[in-house]
Amino acid sequence: MAKIPIYQQPVSTIYQALQTDDHGLSAATVQERLAQNGKNALNQQKTTSLLQKFIAQFKDFMIIVLLVAALIAGLTGEVVDAIIILIVVVLNAIFGVFQEAKAEEAINALKEMSAPNATVRRDNVVTTVKSDELVVGDIVLLEAGDIIPADLRLTEVGSLKVEESALTGESVPVEKSAAVLTADDLAIGDRANMAFMNSNVTYGRATGVVVATGMQTEVGRIAGMLEAADETTTPLQANLTQLGKSLTILILVIAAIVFAMGMWRQAESLIDMLLTAISLAVAAIPEGLPAIVTITLALGTQRMAKRHAIVRKLPAVETLGSTDIIASDKTGTLTQNKMTVEKVYQNHQLVDAATVDFARDNRLAQTMILSNDTKMTPDGLAGDPTETALVQYQLDRHYPVQQVLTDLPRVAEIPFDSERKLMSTVHPLPDQRFLIAVKGAPDELLKRTTQLARDGQVVPLTADDRQTILTTNHDLATQALRVLAFAYRIVDQVPSELTSDRVENDLVFAGMVGMIDPERPEVAQAVADAKAAGIRPLMITGDHKDTAAAIATRLGIMTAGETQAVVTGAELDEMDDATFAKRVKDFAVYARVAPEHKVRIVNAWQQHGKVVAMTGDGVNDAPALKAADIGIGMGITGTEVSKGASDMVLADDNFSTIVVAVEEGRKVFANIQKAIQYLLSANLGEVLTLFMMTMLGWQILAPVHILWINLVTDTLPAIALGVEPMERNIMKQPPRGRQSNFFSGGVLGGILYQGLLEGGITLFVYWMAITYPVHATASLAHADALTMAFATLGLIQLFHAFNSKSIHGSIFTVGLFRNKFFNWAILIAFALLAMTILVPGLNSLFHVASLNLFQWSIVLGASLMMIVIVEIVKFFQRRVVK
């Protein structure tokens, strides 16, 4: 049985192999198989406790560096330094845990129940059981509306149609049969005698035998692929790791040089120089950076949540900002996953469906409703998507659907079957005659048609008429529209034999409709916006090539006639990985693909160094969602498996939300970059000040000075930079790509010259205070100089925060006071800094002196020079770029 595919085996052989029959299994056999094989359920993803989540936050390299710094500070007596660093680290961990837990709650709220129950025949008795209690060999009964609870080999079929888009990506329900299939290596979507777990029955009824449960099903196989997939490292994580390592090396080198020079000069004792080196390390380490990055990301997730994008992992916010490729599933993501009438053909005219206004007695309108099994329920229309689309179209046109169904009740029918491709229903008319309403495939229906309804008259159907109808059908099909034809016949009495030969002949052709799973109305603009931002959108679908190409052209993903841009899964199978990697840039649309193909597509782009985002809602999308740099799941139509594999979930299933998320991601990265430039240039200024004071033999700033400046200037202002409004041209710039980092785009140069400038100005103020003292005694002069240097170093950083509102733009164009949080942050930081000098008692605690008006004017004037000089530099930078 394992060697020959199940779809190629007759039912009798399968029954024999599974030791079952039409009567079903006995209760004893069911219990035995449950004990042996386990429940019919997928493996649950391991959840972590709050404590485990909290501990996991301390695995980050920068956090480890800070913990080591706190340990050294504590061992050498700088307990306050150690406590402050530990508070920052713990707050960072709490932010991370809070966001992760909040995201899990949102995802759990979005999860949909899979088939909770199943109808089975056991011991020749039909009963309802929980779906997780199914075993191999169970006989399952299906009807319209059921969710298929396991993988089944169908044994009896009555006009069964199954919607398998979650598994195959094909939006149109698949017609099923119980016949043995002979072809080899059939794709899942072509296995017509199989029904797969988590698919939906849209029409008809059937009986099947369970051939696989749980992780052995097709859905389970994909879930297994997810478990085996490696987690990807986001650009943000890579950048922070790189930054942490670089800073650690730099800090150790500078601290070692200062310690060695101090000991060589013998100006301080061993302990004092060790404390000086630690003070310098405290000044160099941006201990607030992890918290600022986390807060900026968390605030970004809050803004995105308000716009229906739920972030499961914080770094995903920033990753979207560096995205080069968005590989999107078609069904339900780019399209509505809802068949819609788009074209109507009647009176020998093809028109847009929206322009048609049917009269009450129009036979085409009546036939669309009557030859239809759609049920009108309090929750909406239920039934086959194609049939519900016909009724919904009439409801949208305010046609009296319910009145027609009441006035013309169904008294007989010939159900649809896949061989004749027709369906007929019989309805009594007010004049005691009967209306036979027929719908089906145009070519099959025309074989039974002899007349034509035109302008309210019935006329003979000519050869030219027939050819025109067939040509129109072909034209609509090439546009990927699904075409249904409608005809009718009026008879004096219901035929005694309800057969196709007796009923479906001498018909009057009423018209045709062309239907399609239409694109979401906002997606075309979203695609255009993505392209303008330098992002390449791709379509990946299980649909046929023509359908995929038509939708992609309408959306602007490819241009009309660009057939070479479309490739199928079968064609991908003929390429090895090396060949595909070379040609991947040629393809914009991937049709009729399997889950393995989607992973290959993602990997091929990643080999070119591209940051790939993958969107999808089906089980078939999950492996690629996990393999991509960022997986984007769908909250409404998405399966539980696809949501679990995603980094972000769109609560409204709206593709345009992705462009909003990209925009937010770019803003988040830009704001983190601003905060990093601000923090590192400030810390470089502090390091330079301490280093030069040590080298020159001046009285150096104490650890409490550096710690207070860091606490005041490295927190609120830096966090405020993280919520700066988006700069106007952010979506007109090309993606940063995988190779960029926080120092790209002139940030490193800015950090260096701005840090040198801060340190230079601070040292200049100290020199002035020593050279031109206000007080006569050396001790008071040094106290004044140290206080002025302390005040200048603090104020200069607050003024520099205004420079950091844009990397290259002038502060007069980005808006000085647009960010209210930033304004308050600067005022609060200024007050905290001034308190240490102006408030009696605090100045002695901080070892600073009171300053007179002249000294304050020097401090303020020198600090303001930071804005003036940086604005001049930016002006020339912009001129060079132009």
Side-chain angles (χ1 to χ4, degrees), residues 839-878:
V839 176
L842 280 180
N843 48 17
S844 59
L845 182 66
F846 279 87
H847 312 295
V848 293
S850 296
L851 302 177
N852 61 28
L853 194 59
F854 173 72
Q855 290 170 317
W856 272 115
S857 65
I858 292 174
V859 169
L860 288 169
S863 301
L864 277 169
M865 287 304 296
M866 189 70 193
I867 290 180
V868 175
I869 295 171
V870 171
E871 276 293 299
I872 293 171
V873 173
K874 284 184 179 180
F875 173 77
F876 285 107
Q877 284 178 335
R878 292 193 296 271

Side-chain angles (χ1 to χ4, degrees), residues 493-508:
Q493 58 184 15
V494 179
S496 57
E497 294 182 26
L498 289 174
T499 63
S500 179
D501 290 340
R502 291 291 305 275
V503 175
E504 296 167 343
N505 59 72
D506 198 22
L507 301 176
V508 179

Side-chain angles (χ1 to χ4, degrees), residues 407-428:
D407 293 346
L408 303 173
R410 183 185 303 185
V411 295
E413 65 179 300
I414 305 179
F416 174 89
D417 71 55
S418 55
E419 290 186 10
R420 77 183 205 287
K421 297 181 180 179
L422 297 173
M423 172 185 178
S424 297
T425 56
V426 183
H427 308 266

Side-chain angles (χ1 to χ4, degrees), residues 537-571:
L538 308 175
M539 176 191 285
I540 302 178
T541 179
D543 262 344
H544 291 282
K545 191 171 184 176
D546 291 343
T547 304
I551 292 292
T553 302
R554 288 161 62 147
L555 291 174
I557 292 175
M558 59 177 276
T559 57
E562 194 183 359
T563 54
Q564 74 278 4
V566 186
V567 64
T568 64
E571 290 168 336

Side-chain angles (χ1 to χ4, degrees), residues 268 693-694 696-702 766 778-779 781-783 786 847:
E268 305 280 353
M693 283 180 161
T694 303
L696 294 171
W698 292 351
Q699 185 178 353
I700 64 173
L701 293 168
Y766 185 94
S779 61
H782 276 96
L786 202 64
H847 312 295

Side-chain angles (χ1 to χ4, degrees), residues 147-407:
I147 299 174
I148 296 169
D151 281 6
L152 311 176
R153 167 64 163 88
L154 298 174
T155 58
E156 298 176 24
V157 170
S159 302
L160 184 71
K161 292 185 182 180
V162 178
E163 194 265 304
E164 298 177 333
S165 64
L167 190 63
T168 67
E170 187 170 1
S171 56
V172 178
V174 179
E175 295 174 11
K176 297 292 184 177
S177 74
V180 175
L181 303 175
T182 57
D184 294 320
D185 299 322
L186 285 177
I188 292 174
D190 297 323
R191 299 175 192 174
N193 59 10
M194 300 287 294
F196 300 103
M197 186 178 187
N198 284 4
S199 299
N200 300 295
V201 178
T202 64
Y203 187 86
R205 58 188 63 85
T207 304
V209 57
V210 175
V211 294
T213 60
M215 294 299 289
Q216 303 306 312
T217 62
E218 288 296 327
V219 170
R221 186 177 65 85
I222 295 172
M225 291 170 61
L226 291 179
E227 290 180 350
D230 295 326
E231 291 286 346
T232 54
T233 301
T234 70
L236 178 67
Q237 291 167 326
N239 284 337
L240 284 177
T241 301
Q242 177 190 7
L243 178 60
K245 290 178 179 177
S246 302
L247 285 177
T248 302
I249 295 170
L250 185 64
I251 290 163
L252 291 175
V253 170
I254 293 174
I257 291 173
V258 169
F259 179 78
M261 289 297 293
M263 293 305 297
W264 177 69
R265 292 179 66 255
Q266 297 183 342
E268 305 280 353
S269 66
L270 176 67
I271 294 298
D272 287 340
M273 281 313 303
L274 187 59
L275 286 173
T276 299
I278 289 173
S279 298
L280 195 146
V282 170
I285 294 177
E287 59 269 6
L289 180 59
I292 288 161
V293 169
T294 304
I295 290 168
T296 303
L297 290 173
L299 291 173
T301 65
Q302 297 304 313
R303 288 191 297 270
M304 292 172 69
K306 291 177 181 177
R307 303 180 76 173
H308 309 296
I310 297 171
V311 176
R312 301 184 71 238
K313 300 173 185 176
L314 279 180
V317 182
E318 182 276 332
T319 309
L320 269 169
S322 59
T323 298
D324 297 285
I325 306 293
I326 297 179
S328 176
D329 177 53
K330 178 186 77 71
T331 304
T333 308
L334 296 172
T335 64
Q336 300 176 29
N337 196 18
K338 180 177 67 177
M339 293 301 289
T340 303
V341 177
E342 189 164 278
K343 297 287 185 181
V344 172
Y345 178 85
Q346 66 171 342
N347 298 326
H348 265 340
Q349 289 184 322
L350 181 67
V351 296
D352 288 335
T355 65
V356 178
D357 188 13
F358 288 114
R360 167 70 174 77
D361 59 352
N362 183 283
R363 294 301 187 198
L364 174 57
Q366 290 179 344
T367 307
M368 289 168 67
I369 296 167
L370 297 173
S371 183
N372 194 314
D373 285 332
T374 296
K375 299 290 188 294
M376 300 180 72
T377 72
D379 296 325
L381 302 179
D384 180 83
T386 301
E387 293 193 327
T388 58
L390 296 173
V391 175
Q392 187 62 53
Y393 169 66
Q394 299 288 18
L395 290 173
D396 292 341
R397 308 303 298 162
H398 304 293
Y399 189 79
V401 174
Q402 190 60 60
Q403 190 63 47
V404 169
L405 292 173
T406 303
D407 293 346

